[in-house]
């Protein structure tokens, strides 16, 4: 496989992994910082999940810790798998009914979540 100019395949995967980890951790950090974890829990409870607040706090903490661990390169396959499940749940609960596009023709759609899932699959498939 021909290498991308100035950056090897392995370096590109590291950049992708670190970037994804930071993006996913930022999601949890912002939820905690903005004080919206409990309202997320209420949404989950209203959607039929028992212990919505516990799930919301668990997910928020996982996003922060799991994002940081992913960026650092720890437990990549497990963390990617959990993030993929979380993103799929978000697609089912929220984004699918809003269509495909995040902005533009429609808003709040699932394209960003699908892109994240594809990136996480690539990171999980990496043997290093």
């Amino acid at each position: 496989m021909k290498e991308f100019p100035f950056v090897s395949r392995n370096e590109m995967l590291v950049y992708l992994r670190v970037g994804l980890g930071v993006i996913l951790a930022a999601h949890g950090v912002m939820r905690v910082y903005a004080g919206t974890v409990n309202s997320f829990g209420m949404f989950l409870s209203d959607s039929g999940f028992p212990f919505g607040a516990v799930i919301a706090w668990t997910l928020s903490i996982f996003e922060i810790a799991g994002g940081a661990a992913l960026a650092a390169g720890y437990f990549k396959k497990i963390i990617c798998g959990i993030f993929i499940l979380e993103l799929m749940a978000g697609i089912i609960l929220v984004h699918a009914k809003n269509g495909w596009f995040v902005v533009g023709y429609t808003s709040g759609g699932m394209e960003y979540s699908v892109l994240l899932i594809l990136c996480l699959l690539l990171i999980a498939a990496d043997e290093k």
Side-chain angles (χ1 to χ4, degrees):
M1 172 189 272
K2 189 172 183 177
E3 298 288 335
F4 190 76
F6 308 112
V7 182
S8 72
R9 174 191 174 278
N10 290 337
E11 288 172 322
M12 291 175 72
L13 286 171
V14 169
Y15 297 147
L16 178 62
R17 178 178 46 77
V18 171
L20 282 172
V22 170
I23 288 168
L24 293 166
H27 194 83
V29 167
M30 185 51 69
R31 192 182 297 125
V32 171
Y33 176 77
T36 60
V37 179
N38 290 328
S39 60
F40 177 44
M42 290 174 58
F43 165 77
L44 292 173
S45 292
D46 292 344
S47 297
F49 289 89
F51 310 108
V54 173
I55 294 170
W57 277 102
T58 301
L59 287 174
S60 298
I61 292 167
F62 173 75
E63 286 172 349
I64 297 166
L70 183 63
Y74 296 113
F75 312 109
K76 294 184 297 187
K77 292 183 187 308
I78 294 168
I79 291 171
C80 286
I82 294 169
F83 274 126
I84 288 169
L85 290 174
E86 180 185 2
L87 289 162
M88 288 171 55
I91 289 170
I92 292 167
L93 291 172
V94 177
H95 302 294
K97 65 184 172 203
N98 294 325
W100 177 254
F101 296 102
V102 175
V103 296
Y105 180 68
T106 59
S107 65
M110 61 182 158
E111 71 175 322
Y112 180 67
S113 295
V114 171
L115 177 60
L116 288 174
I117 288 169
L118 291 172
C119 291
L120 288 163
L121 285 170
L122 180 61
I123 296 302
D126 183 37
E127 295 299 322
K128 294 187 181 201

